[in-house]
Amino acid sequence: MQAKPQTFRVEHTSCRGKASMSPSFKLQCHLILIFLVALRGESRYLELREKGDPDPFLLFSANLKRELAGEQLYHRALRCLDMLSLQGQFTFTADQPQLHCAAFFISEPEEFITIYYDLVSIDCQGGDFLKVFDGWILKGEKFPSSQDHPLPTTERYIDFCESGLSRRSIRSSQNVAMIFFRVHEPGNGFTLTIRRDPNLFPCNVISQTPNGKFTLVVPHQHRNCSFSIIYPVVIKISDLTLGHLNGLQLKKPSAGCGGKGDFVELLGGTGLDPSKMMPLADLCYPFQGPAQMKIGCDNTVVRMVSSGKNINRVTFEYRQLEPYELENPNGNSIQEFCLSGL
């Protein structure tokens, strides 16, 4: 006799908000799709849908954007492979056995993501699962990296089949999170509500856009923070403060950038994990810019290492490099270590 799927219902306060995203985010989504193509055959992570299935990124077309009116809660179906940057309620229902599925969630840099279980109807004993990961993981590469995240990797996975409703909601540590799921029986599935909450001191961030400005502040915390831009970009740093106490700027510790002091580094690479990227530049001393660098990598990261003794701050702008700038680099440019795989 086939095992009956477990069904759970959860009541909570409905989320309200606006379904919005940058028009340029579709470019970033297609880059993620390229990452995912490389995962075919690696069932440990996920697998793309078969040929002929709808493009999972069509939902980002301008004509499919939706606005929330008043108290209305945004609803739509969740795909086996999906990416979302909005609040709302999302339902996955299997129409056939779906064995390698994942959904990526992203919010604004100054926001956490909270995932609420509304309804879960899966057969855990039959091999189904629903797991939340605090961050993103692609082909074994994690963001934030193990060096930058406050939790060990094993604690970043929350398995519904193990915890059940003892954790009715799960909040991310940064502006990205994801779920892995497997559902064998057609008709089974789950419903989740996604809400975005304010984050006063954002640390690890993936940018939704190829252009922007951001100030990363680490106040008396012993932690590392990475700001990831999944584009080749020009980075312009306008202000860097390393150490501030009673209105006096402190001198950089003599240990240098490789020691236990406070510093900022620029990284570049083709993957997702900052710890596996190429170090391109170290900024060891405070200054008021501008300092500019062109980085022709698929992924560029501004990473701040903080000892916890000071208030550290870095302000930077970034914009995507034009095709002609990639073909004809000049000035302060880094490209030879970042040959594009696209």
Side-chain angles (χ1 to χ4, degrees):
M1 180 179 296
Q2 187 174 9
K4 184 178 180 180
Q6 297 172 298
T7 302
F8 302 87
R9 294 182 183 274
V10 186
E11 297 294 333
H12 59 80
T13 304
S14 63
C15 76
R16 302 178 179 89
K18 181 179 180 182
S20 63
M21 74 178 337
S22 165
S24 62
F25 189 46
K26 185 175 181 181
L27 295 175
Q28 181 175 350
C29 296
H30 280 287
L31 180 58
I32 296 294
L33 181 58
I34 291 171
F35 278 128
L36 294 175
V37 169
L39 305 186
R40 284 191 179 274
E42 298 202 20
S43 60
R44 179 181 174 187
Y45 302 106
L46 55 102
E47 182 176 285
L48 290 179
R49 299 168 68 94
E50 297 295 328
K51 289 184 179 180
D53 282 356
D55 181 352
F57 297 118
L58 286 178
L59 64 104
F60 295 111
S61 299
N63 62 335
L64 292 182
K65 294 178 183 177
R66 303 181 183 180
E67 299 290 330
L68 286 174
E71 302 298 317
Q72 182 181 358
L73 180 65
Y74 176 68
H75 298 265
R76 82 159 174 83
L78 193 66
R79 301 172 183 269
C80 177
L81 174 62
D82 217 332
M83 183 179 291
L84 299 164
S85 67
L86 42 81
Q87 299 186 111
Q89 190 175 65
F90 306 95
T91 299
F92 176 80
T93 304
D95 56 357
Q96 60 182 353
Q98 298 283 10
L99 305 184
H100 309 290
C101 299
F104 297 80
F105 305 110
I106 185 169
S107 64
E108 295 300 322
E110 301 87 358
E111 294 175 330
F112 296 113
I113 296 172
T114 304
I115 301 172
Y116 296 88
Y117 294 126
D118 297 327
L119 170 67
V120 181
S121 180
I122 61 175
D123 183 6
C124 292
Q125 294 182 348
D128 292 357
F129 61 76
L130 172 59
K131 299 180 181 181
V132 176
F133 182 72
D134 188 5
W136 279 4
I137 183 168
L138 293 166
K139 202 177 181 181
E141 293 202 10
K142 301 179 291 293
F143 184 92
S145 69
S146 299
Q147 297 177 5
D148 295 349
H149 199 278
L151 297 175
T153 300
T154 54
E155 294 183 21
R156 294 169 66 179
Y157 289 94
I158 298 94
D159 189 340
F160 177 85
C161 289
E162 294 180 358
S163 62
L165 294 181
S166 63
R167 298 190 65 173
R168 298 188 176 188
S169 65
I170 300 166
R171 193 178 76 169
S172 68
S173 303
Q174 60 287 312
N175 77 320
V176 292
M178 68 181 299
I179 59 172
F180 299 96
F181 54 97
R182 173 183 297 167
V183 182
H184 288 84
E185 186 69 19
N188 288 349
F190 54 87
T191 297
L192 304 174
T193 293
I194 305 301
R195 189 170 69 190
R196 305 188 302 189
D197 303 310
N199 181 2
L200 296 180
F201 292 102
C203 180
N204 295 299
V205 174
I206 292 181
S207 175
Q208 292 192 46
T209 64
N211 308 298
K213 182 176 181 178
F214 192 75
T215 297
L216 183 62
V217 180
V218 183
H220 295 293
Q221 294 177 321
H222 181 42
R223 65 187 308 188
N224 306 325
C225 298
S226 293
F227 189 99
S228 176
I229 310 157
I230 310 180
Y231 297 96
V233 293
V234 177
I235 292 280
K236 181 187 293 184
I237 298 177
S238 57
D239 180 73
L240 175 61
T241 300
L242 297 172
H244 194 274
L245 184 63
N246 296 328
L248 298 176
Q249 198 172 68
L250 303 179
K251 185 178 179 180
K252 177 71 179 64
S254 59
C257 282
K260 297 180 180 180
D262 305 278
F263 63 93
V264 168
E265 58 183 352
L266 300 181
L267 308 172
T270 57
L272 191 66
D273 193 326
S275 68
K276 299 180 180 180
M277 293 184 183
M278 176 73 66
L280 304 178
D282 289 339
L283 303 174
C284 309
Y285 299 94
F287 69 89
Q288 291 186 336
Q292 179 173 299
M293 177 175 287
K294 295 179 182 179
I295 304 176
C297 301
D298 292 338
N299 193 5
T300 301
V301 168
V302 178
R303 182 172 183 262
M304 176 175 281
V305 177
S306 297
S307 65
K309 299 177 181 179
N310 308 305
I311 298 176
N312 298 321
R313 183 181 70 247
V314 60
T315 299
F316 55 92
E317 298 179 48
Y318 53 98
R319 68 165 179 84
Q320 185 175 11
L321 287 170
E322 299 294 338
Y324 74 88
E325 293 178 290
L326 290 170
E327 295 173 0
N328 301 295
N330 55 64
N332 195 11
S333 177
I334 299 289
Q335 189 177 25
E336 59 270 24
F337 298 113
C338 301
L339 298 177
S340 175
L342 301 182

